[in-house]
């Protein structure tokens, strides 16, 4: 490989530079020129997932490794802990306290794993064995490495560890089984297991990706506490540039199995020298930006690792690529500040011209929607939901089922969407967002309340009318993998709604090709099956299918949350453009508040089946009045290290209460940061009366919150 | 695969042919060697079964009193049986019946199982309870009792009724599996998407749910071919179904197995043909499964 020698040379240079100032302490974990390849077989080409990665972490340091899916970030860390499958070929060197780990047999490695080096995985659901109590599992981690410790002592230590990671009432809860814990709690247990033996290095592989923002904030706090407690070095692997900004000391950006930029957080975020990093930073929707500017998508997809272009792997997607970029892979070279290195031949140019993402990437103007000029009151109503409720009965018993309780999935929801408007429905998982969508889309009579789509009330329609309404309401789902029938070809997928609604055959064909064009895909791809497309392309196919019948209202169920940031930006831009061009209205459900801020005109924040705050985007994001909205906004990490360090996060306590048994009065009071500081007299209102949604702030006509003690002045 | 690679494909080509699901499936099937071989063998067996008896110099009921239990000779290609009947002729006639019974019964079984399971799993509620009740009933009722009761009525109805009867005895377990898979498939987002665009329930089952468990159904159908032939033998043995002097591969095997060591030709030819038939069906099934599976394409 042409790049390896260059990387190695640059590497030595860095080692020298980094040891200079604080020279005394050697790195705890040192990875040199790591190369991991998976040999092919049965007609598959071999894959080189990691191509010459080097890094090192010192005691107490947090290193962030950022990259999109498939960039090799997880594989490189799995190699460090020796968990790659046997057939993987690993080259280079991995040293823990100067001792070479590569080539150690599994038995020796097992003694190190969990003791000197440990790992926190992404998925807390599958990380714990379901048949043992969590206490047993933590105690097991203790006893594996210290067999002389008695069972009782190990359990005592387990309780200590569980308390440390913030499990309330650990003495009792340690006897619970994993399924009795929520996702966040399970991730805490995973962290407890990881720190059980005071490891020197903790590798965290996307530890918060599967969690809600408020829980993510809690887990990040726990990680920081764990680090303080053990003094370990942490390698934080993530795709989220926000998470890294406030947490880590140094960042490394990976692309196509290589490091493309490394340096201190400030260098990488503020003095970016590699166009890929710029693109990544520019493609994240920002919570802290008021005016809407289009996001910067990186066009194309990451290269396939089986078939790499000869030059810079990013060149095909890079807007400033020149011919020299294709000549050979650029080595990681020193640019600007100490330890700041980038693999781009034009890094010097970028530096001297001080280009930013907006200079490098061509920015498309978003067409202005003519409808948005019309005041909201004068526009027609597309969707009106009033007092919508969905209660699931909880049944017990096999032969004679009796009702033992009710899950209040959606409990009295009211909102409306006008023409050409986007309403963002946000909330944590389990708050009833999806149930609301399904209730609206089913067009059946709701249990309580009314749903009116384009003036027609659900449940009062004849079958024929209902079929006609379906034309105007279409849906785009979250998971681009499962929302397209894998057995069908793209043509049939997009043609299905057209066929169902009786379009003529030749009309269908031209319409499908037109739709492919509209969502930015090539018409010739319609004979392929969805499995041959990447996630972002599949989501575009899903959008094309939804647009086939020229609907008026598009319901978007977390349409971008399963996509990588650079791809996500492209899909968001597409949605905005389509909205302006076709005059659509969106009901946009998301848990990511920064995406919602970017795309929505109005926002409704849900908590346990109720809307706690609703209003226009500007008001809600500038001046949230409900404590829950405040906490949500505060929990989102900004991809801006400076701001992130200055910000004070409101970390909510605990998890979402059981929706079958919601707290009396205000449902949020059990976790409310405001309730906690109220006097006993004031609290009784929260306990006894359910706050109603009404206008709390003078001057903000379109903002209502359901809180007895809403903040009426002051900013966040 | 990258976007740029897609762009390279010419647009004119796309405009020219957006072939339908079935024609492209057929094209793909015929391009797979396994399928072609399998189909060729099945066609060959069919040809053999129907043309063979015409070529044979001996009649079906004809006995050669000069050669009892004679090994294969130029006169008797597969030898003769206990009563001097020509084994070749009998085997061919048996093959005819077995191909019909095996293929049709397997097809019917899988279709019944798929429909019952999918409808029960998709609609749940009352439909589910009713259909599953029937399924359980078929499972717990002793099959031979049903047969014994039904047989006098069905005796003279011909082979098609017998095939249906066989199918009725075999579909239950698969139906239960299909129901379980349907329950998980119906929650998939593409099924929801189809529902929300107004596709009718029946069409959703036929177009989305059943194709997505085609691997299971195809494997089930190929296994059923051989088990239908065997089950038919068992039934014949107890006096139901095909009765002597009429023969099937099953009855020939049953008879031949008793003297397989002493007079191997009475056993091996019919058994060999059954194996070849089942193998060929398996080859076709395998290829069909791969052709329908979207993931196997990207690998090749």
């Amino acid at each position: 490989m042409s790049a390896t020698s260059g990387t190695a040379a640059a590497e030595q240079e860095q080692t020298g530079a980094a040891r200079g100032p604080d020279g005394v302490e050697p790195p705890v974990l040192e990875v040199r020129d790591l190369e991991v390849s998976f040999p092919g077989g049965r007609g598959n080409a071999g894959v080189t997932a990691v191509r010459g990665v080097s890094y090192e972490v010192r005691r107490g340091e947090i290193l962030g490794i950022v990259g999109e899916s498939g960039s090799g970030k997880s594989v490189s860390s799995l190699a460090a802990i020796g968990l790659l499958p046997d057939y993987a070929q690993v080259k280079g060197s991995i040293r823990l306290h100067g001792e070479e780990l590569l080539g150690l047999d599994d038995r020796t490695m097992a003694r190190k794993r969990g003791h000197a080096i440990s790992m926190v995985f992404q998925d807390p659901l599958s990380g714990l064995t379901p048949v043992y109590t969590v206490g047993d599992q933590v105690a097991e981690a203790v006893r594996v490495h210290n067999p002389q410790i008695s069972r009782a002592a190990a359990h005592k230590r387990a309780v200590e560890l569980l308390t440390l990671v913030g499990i309330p009432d650990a003495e009792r809860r340690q006897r619970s089984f994993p399924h009795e814990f929520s996702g966040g709690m399970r991730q805490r247990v995973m962290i407890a297991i990881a720190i059980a033996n005071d490891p020197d290095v903790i590798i965290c592989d996307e530890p918060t990706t599967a969690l809600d923002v408020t829980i993510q904030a809690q887990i990040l706090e726990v990680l920081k506490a764990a680090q303080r407690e053990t003094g370990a070095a942490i390698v934080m692997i993530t795709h989220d540039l926000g998470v890294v900004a406030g947490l880590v000391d140094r960042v490394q950006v990976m692309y196509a199995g290589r490091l493309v930029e490394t340096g201190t957080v400030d260098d990488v975020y503020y003095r970016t020298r590699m166009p890929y990093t710029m693109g990544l930073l520019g493609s994240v929707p920002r919570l802290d930006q008021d005016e809407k500017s289009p996001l910067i998508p990186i066009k194309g997809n990451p290269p396939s690792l089986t078939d790499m272009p000869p030059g810079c792997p990013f060149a095909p997607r890079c807007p400033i690529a020149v011919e020299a970029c294709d000549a050979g892979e650029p080595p990681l070279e020193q640019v600007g500040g100490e330890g700041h290195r980038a693999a781009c031949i034009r890094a010097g140019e970028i530096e001297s011209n001080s280009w930013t993402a907006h200079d490098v990437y061509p920015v498309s103007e978003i067409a202005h929607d003519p409808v948005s000029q019309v005041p909201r009151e004068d526009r027609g109503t597309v969707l009106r939901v009033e007092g919508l409720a969905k209660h699931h009965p909880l049944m017990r018993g096999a032969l004679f089922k009796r009702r033992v309780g009710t899950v209040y999935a959606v409990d009295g929801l009211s909102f409306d969407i006008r023409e050409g408007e986007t309403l963002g429905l946000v909330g944590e998982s389990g708050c009833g967002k999806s149930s609301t969508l399904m209730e609206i889309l089913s067009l059946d009579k709701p249990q309580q309340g009314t749903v009116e789509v384009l003036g027609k009330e659900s449940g009062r329609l004849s079958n024929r009318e209902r079929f006609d309404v379906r034309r105007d309401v279409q849906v785009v789902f979250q998971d681009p993998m499962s929302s397209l029938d894998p057995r069908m070809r793209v043509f049939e997928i997009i043609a299905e709604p057209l066929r169902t609604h009786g379009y003529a055959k030749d009309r269908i064909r031209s319409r499908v090709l037109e739709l492919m064009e509209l969502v930015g895909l090539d018409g010739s791809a319609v004979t392929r099956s969805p499995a041959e497309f990447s996630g972002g392309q599949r989501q575009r196919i899903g959008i094309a299918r939804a647009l086939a019948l020229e609907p008026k209202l598009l319901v978007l169920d977390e349409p971008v949350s399963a996509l990588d940031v650079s791809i996500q930006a492209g899909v968001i831009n597409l949605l905005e453009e389509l909205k302006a061009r076709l005059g659509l209205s969106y009901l946009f459900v998301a848990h990511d508040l920064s995406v919602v801020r970017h795309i929505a005109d109005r926002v409704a924040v849900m908590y346990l089946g109720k809307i706690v705050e609703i209003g226009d985007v500007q008001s809600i994001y500038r001046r949230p009045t409900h404590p829950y909205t405040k906490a949500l906004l505060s929990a989102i990490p900004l991809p801006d290290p400076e701001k992130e360090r200055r910000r004070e996060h409101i970390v909510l306590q605990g998890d979402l209460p059981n929706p079958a048994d919601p707290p009396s009065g205000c449902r949020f009071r059990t976790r409310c940061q405001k309730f906690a500081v109220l006097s006993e007299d004031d609290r009784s209102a929260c306990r006894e009366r359910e706050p109603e949604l009404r206008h709390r702030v003078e001057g903000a006509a379109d903002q209502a919150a359901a809180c007895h003690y809403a903040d009426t002045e002051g900013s966040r | 695969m990258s976007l740029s690679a897609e762009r390279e494909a010419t647009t004119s080509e796309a405009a020219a042919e957006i072939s339908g699901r079935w024609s492209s499936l057929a094209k793909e099937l015929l391009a797979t060697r396994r399928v072609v071989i399998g189909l060729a063998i099945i066609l060959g067996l069919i040809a053999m079964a129907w043309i063979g008896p015409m070529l044979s110099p001996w009649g079906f009921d004809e006995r050669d009193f000069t050669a009892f239990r004679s090994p294969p000779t130029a006169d008797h290609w597969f030898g003769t049986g206990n009563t001097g009947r020509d084994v070749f002729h009998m085997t061919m006639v048996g093959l005819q019946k077995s191909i019909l019974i095996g293929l049709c019964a397997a097809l019917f079984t899988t279709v019944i199982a798929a429909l019952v399971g999918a409808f029960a799993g998709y609609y749940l509620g009352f439909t589910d309870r009713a259909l599953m009740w029937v399924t359980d009933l078929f499972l717990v009722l002793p099959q031979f009792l049903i047969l014994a009761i039904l047989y006098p009525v069905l005796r003279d109805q011909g082979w098609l009724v017998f095939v249906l009867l066989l199918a009725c005895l075999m579909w239950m377990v698969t139906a239960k599996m299909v129901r379980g898979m349907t329950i998980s498939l119906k929650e998939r987002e593409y099924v929801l998407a189809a529902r929300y665009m107004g596709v009718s329930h029946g069409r959703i089952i036929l177009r989305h749910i059943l194709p997505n468990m085609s691997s299971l159904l195809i494997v089930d159908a190929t296994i059923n071919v051989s088990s239908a032939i065997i089950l038919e033998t068992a039934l014949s043995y107890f006096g139901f179904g095909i009765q002597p002097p009429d023969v099937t591969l099953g009855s020939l095997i049953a008879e031949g197995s008793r003297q397989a060591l002493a007079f191997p030709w009475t056993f091996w030819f019919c058994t060999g043909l059954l194996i070849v038939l089942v193998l060929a069906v398996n080859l076709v099934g395998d290829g069909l499964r791969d052709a329908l599976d979207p993931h196997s394409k990207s690998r090749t």
Side-chain angles (χ1 to χ4, degrees):
Chain A
M1 191 146 300
S2 64
T4 333
S5 58
T7 321
E11 208 49 59
Q12 273 157 10
E13 186 186 311
Q14 196 232 9
T15 330
R19 278 207 185 132
D22 53 2
V24 264
E25 204 181 347
V28 183
L29 180 71
E30 202 178 353
V31 175
R32 285 266 161 276
D33 300 330
L34 183 69
E35 216 171 279
V36 183
S37 54
F38 298 96
R42 287 198 295 155
N44 297 347
V47 169
T48 309
V50 179
R51 307 177 299 131
V53 165
S54 306
Y55 61 83
E56 52 192 21
V57 271
R58 292 184 166 68
R59 235 184 117 62
E61 190 183 35
I62 309 186
L63 172 75
I65 299 183
V66 183
E68 293 180 274
S69 47
S71 61
K73 53 193 192 316
S74 294
V75 174
S76 61
S77 60
L78 284 176
I81 198 167
L83 285 179
L84 285 177
D86 287 338
Y87 59 85
Q89 292 163 352
V90 188
K91 275 182 268 176
S93 135
I94 298 166
R95 285 167 188 278
L96 184 70
H97 290 302
E99 187 194 349
E100 181 63 52
L101 295 185
L102 271 191
L104 288 186
D105 64 293
D106 199 48
R107 192 181 284 264
T108 331
M109 232 6 248
R111 275 203 291 277
K112 304 226 179 286
R113 273 198 293 262
H115 186 61
I117 180 166
S118 62
M119 187 143 183
V120 179
F121 293 94
Q122 172 175 2
D123 187 4
L125 297 176
S126 53
L128 295 168
T129 317
V131 294
Y132 292 107
T133 63
V134 294
D136 281 347
Q137 296 188 48
V138 179
E140 185 195 15
V142 175
R143 275 167 59 90
V144 156
H145 292 284
N146 311 286
Q148 74 284 0
I149 286 185
S150 72
R151 203 167 277 271
H155 267 280
K156 228 179 117 221
R157 172 92 179 117
V159 173
E160 271 172 42
L161 285 164
L162 289 171
T163 315
L164 182 72
V165 294
I167 299 223
D169 197 5
E171 184 65 47
R172 196 169 57 82
R173 295 287 279 169
Q174 62 123 336
R175 275 190 288 272
S176 309
F177 285 93
H179 70 265
E180 296 170 83
F181 275 34
S182 66
M185 298 282 257
R186 276 185 251 189
Q187 196 61 296
R188 284 168 194 262
V189 176
M190 292 300 291
I191 294 174
I193 292 175
I195 61 172
N197 294 298
D198 272 343
D200 303 313
V201 184
I202 306 172
I203 297 175
C204 304
D205 189 359
E206 308 246 12
T208 59
T209 307
L211 306 172
D212 280 314
V213 272
T214 59
I215 308 296
Q216 165 171 303
Q218 293 174 0
I219 294 296
L220 291 178
E221 288 298 314
V222 171
L223 272 177
K224 280 182 202 161
Q227 197 228 13
R228 270 198 306 276
E229 206 70 22
T230 60
I234 293 186
V235 179
M236 179 87 183
I237 298 165
T238 180
H239 68 278
D240 189 335
L241 289 154
V243 168
V244 180
L247 185 72
V248 307
D249 306 306
R250 285 190 296 125
V251 191
Q252 304 199 317
V253 183
M254 280 191 78
Y255 185 76
R258 286 195 61 207
L259 296 178
V260 292
E261 183 154 8
T262 76
T264 60
V265 178
D266 290 3
D267 275 338
V268 172
Y269 279 68
Y270 298 129
R271 290 172 285 279
T272 319
R273 294 292 173 258
M274 168 73 195
Y276 175 64
T277 320
M278 285 184 180
L280 268 189
L281 286 166
S283 56
V284 187
R286 297 283 291 258
L287 202 58
D288 53 342
Q289 267 169 6
D290 264 353
E291 80 279 22
K292 276 189 183 174
S293 58
L295 301 173
I296 299 171
I298 307 177
K299 65 173 202 285
N301 289 301
S304 135
L305 290 169
T306 50
D307 172 32
M308 284 296 239
C312 169
F314 186 61
R317 302 172 74 189
C318 183
I320 58 166
V322 289
E323 231 156 81
C325 290
D326 292 329
E329 284 205 65
L332 205 55
E333 275 170 348
Q334 180 88 26
V335 285
E338 186 179 292
H340 184 194
R341 296 177 307 137
C344 179
I345 56 168
R346 297 186 73 181
E349 225 173 308
I350 294 172
E351 189 176 352
S352 53
N353 294 339
S354 58
W355 280 339
T356 62
H358 285 274
D359 304 316
V360 169
Y361 284 86
V363 176
S364 53
E365 268 313 305
I366 289 178
H368 261 286
D369 186 356
V371 191
S372 64
Q373 312 302 333
V374 184
R376 185 164 192 271
E377 293 74 40
D378 300 343
R379 286 186 248 162
T381 309
V382 179
L383 175 73
R384 182 196 301 283
V385 173
E386 233 162 82
L388 177 71
K390 172 85 181 166
H391 299 170
H392 303 283
L394 277 180
M395 298 297 211
R396 194 63 67 70
L399 198 56
F400 298 101
K401 293 213 162 71
R402 61 200 158 83
R403 193 171 177 142
V404 293
T406 310
V407 176
Y408 301 91
V410 181
D411 199 16
L413 217 59
S414 302
F415 60 84
D416 62 345
I417 298 178
R418 302 290 171 110
E419 249 168 62
E421 187 176 74
T422 304
L423 176 74
L425 197 60
V426 294
E428 293 173 274
S429 50
C431 72
K433 299 178 305 235
S434 295
S435 301
T436 309
L437 284 196
M438 296 308 140
E439 246 346 66
I440 293 170
L441 286 167
S442 74
L443 296 183
D444 289 330
K445 184 163 177 51
Q447 287 173 341
Q448 281 173 38
T450 54
V451 176
E452 232 175 77
V453 183
L454 295 163
K456 299 198 183 67
E457 197 183 323
S458 298
R460 297 220 173 145
L461 302 171
S462 66
N463 279 347
R464 183 73 229 171
E465 279 173 315
R466 183 151 81 168
F467 186 68
D468 288 337
V469 171
R470 294 235 181 264
R471 252 169 202 273
D472 295 323
V473 188
Q474 285 294 315
V475 58
V476 176
F477 287 102
Q478 169 177 16
D479 184 359
M481 298 291 212
S482 74
S483 62
L484 307 178
D485 188 336
R487 302 269 163 173
M488 289 172 122
R489 279 139 197 285
V490 172
F491 180 83
E492 277 152 354
I493 288 171
I494 302 179
E496 189 175 24
L498 298 167
R499 281 199 186 124
T500 306
H501 286 263
Y503 275 55
K505 214 164 182 187
D506 48 336
R507 177 86 187 90
I508 289 177
R509 222 179 80 162
S510 59
R511 177 76 180 140
V512 169
L513 293 174
E514 190 183 310
L515 285 163
M516 287 291 277
E517 168 102 47
L518 188 69
V519 296
L521 290 174
D522 200 84
S524 63
V526 292
T527 52
R528 297 169 193 237
S529 69
E532 295 171 65
F533 290 85
S534 68
Q537 289 171 329
R538 262 181 266 189
Q539 200 56 297
R540 283 167 192 264
I541 296 169
I543 293 171
R545 174 178 63 185
L547 290 177
L549 297 168
E550 298 170 28
K552 309 240 173 14
L553 173 67
L554 207 54
V555 175
L556 303 150
D557 187 4
E558 310 238 10
V560 294
S561 63
L563 306 175
D564 273 323
V565 273
S566 70
I567 308 292
Q568 170 182 317
V571 174
I572 292 177
N573 282 355
L574 173 72
L575 286 173
E576 298 216 299
E577 190 194 319
L578 289 173
K579 184 185 152 205
R581 264 172 71 182
L582 307 176
L584 300 168
S585 310
Y586 289 155
L587 173 57
F588 191 100
V589 171
H591 67 272
D592 186 337
L593 281 108
S594 19
V595 171
V596 170
R597 159 153 232 185
H598 191 84
I599 199 165
D601 303 310
R602 300 184 75 229
V603 187
V605 183
M606 274 185 85
Y607 187 78
L608 271 191
K610 283 186 178 301
I611 291 181
V612 295
E613 184 155 15
I614 186 167
D616 64 294
V617 166
Q618 302 297 342
S619 318
I620 297 242
Y621 281 76
R622 279 204 202 126
R623 192 178 45 198
T625 58
H626 195 282
Y628 180 60
T629 319
K630 286 190 164 195
L632 269 185
L633 287 173
S634 148
I636 296 171
L638 295 175
D640 189 332
E642 197 103 333
K643 279 192 187 162
E644 191 55 32
R645 272 179 233 131
R646 274 190 282 123
R647 264 172 58 164
E648 213 161 296
H649 291 287
I650 305 168
V651 176
L652 286 183
Q653 296 306 308
D655 295 309
L656 211 61
N658 181 1
D661 181 25
S664 66
C666 173
R667 292 186 170 187
F668 183 55
R669 69 177 164 82
T670 49
R671 296 171 77 196
C672 183
Q673 71 272 26
K674 190 137 203 172
F675 182 74
V677 296
L678 287 178
S679 70
E680 203 47 48
D681 285 348
D682 292 340
R683 280 184 186 187
S684 64
C686 297
R687 272 200 206 100
E688 285 150 21
R689 280 187 297 122
E690 202 174 304
E692 47 195 284
L693 200 62
R694 58 184 174 81
H695 298 293
R696 306 277 169 176
V697 191
E698 291 301 315
D702 189 27
Q703 183 180 10
C707 176
H708 295 301
Y709 303 102
D711 272 339
T712 45
E713 84 272 355
S715 63
R716 70 187 146 97
Chain B
M1 193 208 59
S2 70
L3 203 70
S4 53
E6 257 171 55
R7 300 267 189 229
E8 278 160 30
T10 48
T11 6
S12 57
E13 180 197 359
E17 46 166 344
I18 299 167
S19 51
R21 196 182 199 176
W22 297 113
S23 63
S24 54
L25 177 66
K27 231 182 276 169
E28 192 151 348
L29 273 179
L30 292 179
T32 322
R33 186 139 39 107
R34 262 176 307 172
V35 178
V36 178
I37 296 176
L39 277 177
I41 295 178
I42 292 180
L43 288 178
L45 284 175
I46 290 175
M48 198 169 143
W50 269 271
I51 300 173
M54 296 179 216
L55 299 180
S56 161
W58 299 90
F60 180 64
D61 283 330
E62 210 172 332
R63 288 183 167 80
D64 183 356
F65 295 104
T66 60
F68 293 114
R69 298 180 192 137
S70 138
T73 58
D75 223 14
H76 298 282
W77 299 332
F78 284 6
T80 56
N82 293 342
T83 52
R85 287 169 75 184
D86 184 51
V87 176
F88 175 76
H89 199 120
M90 284 205 294
T91 312
M92 288 307 115
V93 174
L95 188 61
Q96 282 179 17
K97 286 268 158 31
S98 288
I99 287 177
L100 276 178
I101 290 172
L103 294 184
C104 294
L107 192 72
F108 283 140
T109 308
T110 307
V111 168
I112 296 175
L115 289 180
V116 171
F119 275 83
Y122 185 83
Y123 288 104
L124 292 178
F126 176 74
T127 322
D128 180 41
R129 250 173 292 155
L131 286 173
M132 282 303 113
W133 187 75
V134 174
T135 314
D136 288 336
L137 196 70
F138 268 93
L139 271 176
V140 296
L141 280 184
Q143 306 180 345
F144 283 101
L145 194 70
I146 305 178
L147 279 178
I149 297 169
L150 286 181
Y151 191 65
V153 189
L154 302 176
R155 183 190 290 275
D156 303 315
Q157 304 290 315
W159 62 272
L160 198 65
V161 176
F162 183 64
V163 162
L164 279 175
L165 198 67
L166 275 181
C168 284
L169 296 178
M170 289 168 33
W171 59 275
M172 292 80 73
V173 176
T174 316
K176 294 220 153 204
M177 275 198 286
V178 169
R179 173 180 173 267
M181 285 182 79
T182 308
I183 291 175
S184 73
L185 277 178
K186 73 175 271 201
E187 296 301 321
R188 293 283 167 88
E189 288 174 341
Y190 55 81
V191 175
L192 290 178
R195 207 152 76 206
Y196 293 148
M197 67 180 78
V199 182
S200 66
H201 295 307
R203 268 182 85 79
I204 289 179
I205 292 177
L206 295 181
R207 274 184 73 85
H208 291 285
I209 289 184
L210 290 180
N212 275 293
M213 45 188 156
S214 54
S215 323
L216 170 90
L217 295 177
I218 289 168
V219 171
D220 180 64
T222 45
I223 294 172
N224 278 342
V225 172
S226 46
S227 38
I229 294 174
I230 306 296
L231 182 63
E232 173 269 318
T233 319
L235 291 180
S236 304
Y237 189 80
F238 285 101
F240 310 114
I242 311 294
Q243 289 302 314
D246 218 353
V247 290
T248 64
L249 279 192
S251 63
L252 286 175
I253 293 171
E255 204 186 305
S257 63
R258 270 172 268 155
Q259 46 197 24
L261 292 177
F263 313 110
W265 57 91
T266 56
F267 176 68
W268 285 114
F269 287 112
C270 43
T271 312
L273 281 174
L274 176 65
I275 292 173
V276 171
L277 175 65
V278 172
L279 265 181
V281 171
N282 272 313
L283 280 177
V284 176
D286 247 22
L288 194 63
R289 195 191 56 204
D290 284 355
L292 286 169
D293 186 358
H295 297 291
S296 64
K297 260 176 255 171
S298 49
R299 262 186 273 121
T300 48

